[in-house]
Amino acid sequence: MIRILASVIVAATLLVSCGLEPEVSEPADPIGVFVEGPCPMPIPEGLVEGESVRCGTIEVPERHGEPDGRTLLLRAAVFPATGDNPSPAPLFVATAGPGVSGLETVTPEAASPLAPVLLSQRDLVLIEYRGLPLAEPNLMCPEMVEFAVGTRDRDLFGEQYVTEHVEAAAACRDRLLDEGVRLDAFNNTETAADIAMVMTALGYETFNVYGTSAGTILAQTLLRDHPDRLRSVVI
């Protein structure tokens, strides 16, 4: 043991004397911790980043049943309540879609004439779900966009249209699989678990849910899987 310790000391001394320092790896942000950072979406006039809106990231398990497995990076935004005695249970908006960025589409409402109603009694929380444009990784398909743009000036219809459309979708799927993305981990069950984890990270015990369009399915999944966290649900 003494010889091992002596060897380590000598090695460290040689590194410093040569102008080198031992590399120390920085620990990754732990799972389920909200880390404040710059907002990834445009901030409307009337809102002040860091005051009327706080943004940040949070790592979540790719599969919540495998907490030691791979992680995903989500983004969230909190718009603090403006009233004097706000409720401790925030409002979470389960946005429409699927595939629509909640941060980009709902943020303007926090600066609209609707804002006094939204923020008078409780915080507003928006979360960029797994797979959406501002999350990492995202499941956006430039292949599908290229297909749509490339067929604008072509008289393409019927079986040929379907064939090329499917080919574009398959190319996107194959690329994501090659990148190591587990497509079967992107579903409402895992997303509902993400939301519960984010709310915990933000310090909320319970929350209210307002779901529209595809968000109504997510709201029902929250009701099924995390009923103890919900104060109310509107769909």
Side-chain angles (χ1 to χ4, degrees):
M1 177 63 72
I2 293 176
R3 290 182 178 177
I4 294 174
L5 289 173
S7 299
V8 171
I9 293 171
V10 170
T13 302
L14 288 173
L15 286 171
V16 173
S17 65
C18 294
L20 302 174
E21 295 183 1
E23 291 186 4
V24 178
S25 59
E26 292 292 332
D29 294 324
I31 293 176
V33 173
F34 181 72
V35 180
E36 286 205 40
C39 292
M41 70 289 191
I43 304 300
E45 184 178 354
L47 297 181
V48 179
E49 187 171 348
E51 296 180 14
S52 48
V53 54
R54 295 168 41 234
C55 298
T57 59
I58 179 171
E59 285 194 39
V60 299
E62 184 179 54
R63 287 186 176 277
H64 285 266
E66 302 172 6
D68 296 327
R70 295 177 55 175
T71 61
L72 311 175
L73 188 72
L74 309 184
R75 287 180 166 81
V78 179
F79 302 81
T82 56
D84 295 331
N85 189 28
S87 167
L91 172 65
F92 165 67
V93 178
T95 50
V100 176
S101 169
L103 292 184
E104 292 180 330
T105 59
V106 182
T107 292
E109 300 297 340
S112 72
L114 185 61
V117 177
L118 280 175
L119 300 172
S120 62
Q121 298 182 30
R122 60 190 78 252
D123 297 349
L124 170 65
V125 177
L126 303 178
I127 301 171
E128 188 79 347
Y129 308 150
R130 58 174 60 202
L132 293 193
L134 301 180
E136 298 175 20
N138 70 62
L139 304 189
M140 299 300 102
C141 286
E143 296 87 350
M144 301 293 288
V145 175
E146 292 171 5
F147 165 77
V149 172
T151 57
R152 285 184 305 177
D153 299 327
R154 297 170 59 195
D155 188 16
L156 192 64
F157 59 92
E159 183 176 345
Q160 184 63 29
Y161 176 88
V162 172
T163 297
E164 294 190 26
H165 195 211
V166 170
E167 288 175 350
C172 177
R173 177 204 60 200
D174 293 344
R175 174 180 55 79
L176 291 170
L177 291 175
D178 289 342
E179 293 171 358
V181 176
R182 296 171 65 181
L183 297 177
D184 58 354
F186 293 78
N187 55 62
N188 281 322
T189 298
E190 298 292 349
T191 296
D194 290 342
I195 293 166
M197 179 173 281
V198 171
M199 289 298 183
T200 298
L202 293 172
Y204 301 115
E205 292 185 9
T206 61
F207 54 96
N208 305 276
V209 178
Y210 177 74
T212 63
S213 189
T216 62
I217 305 300
L218 179 57
Q220 292 176 72
T221 306
L222 282 163
L223 273 171
R224 183 194 67 190
D225 296 346
H226 307 277
D228 58 318
R229 303 297 305 277
L230 305 182
R231 176 183 175 275
S232 69
V233 176
V234 177
I235 58 175

